[in-house]
Amino acid sequence: MSENDNALFNQSLEKGLAVLRAFNAQRRTMNLAEVAEAAGINKSSAQRMIHTLEALGYVCKHSQTKRFQLTPRVMEIGYNYLAADTLVDVANPFLAELAQITGETTNLTEPDGLEMVYVARFVAPKFIPIHMPIGSRIPMYCTGSGRAYLSALGDDEVRAALEASELKRQTQFTLTGTDEILAEIATTRRKGYAINNEELFLGDMTIAAPILGSQGRPVASVHVVAPTSRWTQEDAERRLAPAVIECARAIRTSIRTL
């Protein structure tokens, strides 16, 4: 970062966002000391940030426990992103059609760092083992949508992403070796789609394809959930993969016409 960039950087805003991001499923409510520790700031800064966020309506204090928690107003920021995201508007009818064709839940994810973020979802009436609402985040290295996205990048970019990732074993089926993941990505490039068979969640299998932007760079992935209770990997690849690939191509074509 240059000196000019440093002069423009607003540390107070950074701290305020750090406080908002500190709340999650493991830290649903926090006292002031916990907020400071989770956000990586001192208690004085945490107090100022919490007071400001509370005044703006993004945080509230429970009347009995005196612990802080997020309010629904925080969702306005995420909703505004989805409302302004042209890709979501373009993809929705194709995702709906894919869900109708396959009879399974379809999803659109976009990259953020080393993760993929759910930005659109059409849920099938059939049982699915894992609920992933809009805004959920999944790692790239061990998911169908992540590997589909990575497959459309250059080799150096893929290796750099894997080296920067914490390759944890999520289930007994998770691939954690860089070389074996690279081999899966090479297979994805050859076939045009990626598959994740219970590497992130048991019972959860997905078929995914990358969506390329106007410059030929990947911008997102589309994937279908194929629960192992209903699908074998062979059947999922044979019956679902062609539809997923076609959906990704249709979205890409529509993006180019905008």
Side-chain angles (χ1 to χ4, degrees):
M1 185 180 293
S2 69
E3 291 183 5
N4 288 337
D5 290 334
N6 280 325
L8 292 172
F9 190 82
N10 191 310
Q11 291 184 331
S12 293
L13 178 57
E14 179 188 31
K15 292 176 181 178
L17 292 173
V19 168
L20 289 178
R21 295 177 64 188
F23 292 89
N24 56 31
Q26 289 72 45
R27 296 188 294 264
R28 299 175 189 272
T29 67
M30 291 186 281
N31 60 34
L32 197 58
E34 291 168 338
V35 168
E37 181 180 0
I41 58 180
N42 60 46
K43 193 171 181 179
S44 176
S45 293
Q47 186 175 33
R48 291 197 303 273
M49 296 304 113
I50 281 289
H51 175 78
T52 302
L53 291 168
E54 188 176 14
L56 293 173
Y58 293 102
V59 170
C60 67
K61 182 191 289 186
H62 194 279
S63 59
Q64 294 180 326
T65 65
K66 307 301 181 183
R67 294 173 68 83
F68 298 100
Q69 63 188 57
L70 299 179
T71 72
R73 178 165 289 186
V74 174
M75 297 179 66
E76 179 183 18
I77 301 172
Y79 175 78
N80 286 344
Y81 171 78
L82 295 176
D85 188 351
T86 304
L87 178 58
V88 172
D89 283 341
V90 170
N92 274 336
F94 297 106
L95 292 174
E97 182 180 17
L98 180 62
Q100 186 175 24
I101 291 172
T102 62
E104 299 291 356
T105 296
T106 60
N107 306 271
L108 180 72
T109 60
E110 294 182 0
D112 182 28
L114 301 172
E115 298 175 309
M116 301 297 287
V117 182
Y118 282 73
V119 295
R121 182 171 174 83
F122 282 80
V123 181
K126 299 178 182 178
F127 166 78
I128 52 176
I130 305 297
H131 175 55
M132 300 295 287
I134 302 301
S136 298
R137 309 172 75 89
I138 54 176
M140 287 184 181
Y141 74 94
C142 64
T143 58
S145 59
R147 288 183 187 157
Y149 174 82
L150 290 172
S151 72
L153 296 177
D155 290 343
D156 291 344
E157 290 178 280
V158 175
R159 185 172 288 277
L162 294 180
E163 290 175 351
S165 300
E166 185 181 359
L167 305 179
K168 297 192 301 183
R169 189 170 297 281
Q170 308 287 346
T171 74
Q172 65 265 40
F173 303 109
T174 310
L175 300 181
T176 57
T178 299
D179 289 341
E180 57 184 351
I181 296 173
L182 287 172
E184 282 294 313
I185 291 173
T187 300
T188 297
R189 287 174 177 158
R190 187 176 71 253
K191 292 183 174 181
Y193 64 89
I195 186 162
N196 158 42
N197 195 348
E198 298 189 283
E199 290 190 56
L200 185 59
F201 301 110
L202 293 177
D204 182 65
M205 179 167 55
T206 61
I207 303 286
I211 299 172
L212 304 184
S214 58
Q215 304 300 315
R217 298 274 301 176
V219 295
S221 292
V222 59
H223 74 264
V224 169
V225 179
T228 57
S229 59
R230 287 195 293 276
W231 295 88
T232 64
Q233 181 171 332
E234 181 181 0
D235 284 343
E237 292 192 66
R238 178 172 53 84
R239 295 170 54 190
L240 299 180
V244 173
I245 292 171
E246 181 54 36
C247 179
R249 286 175 178 167
I251 295 172
R252 177 185 184 181
T253 300
S254 296
I255 292 174
R256 287 176 169 178
T257 61
L258 292 178

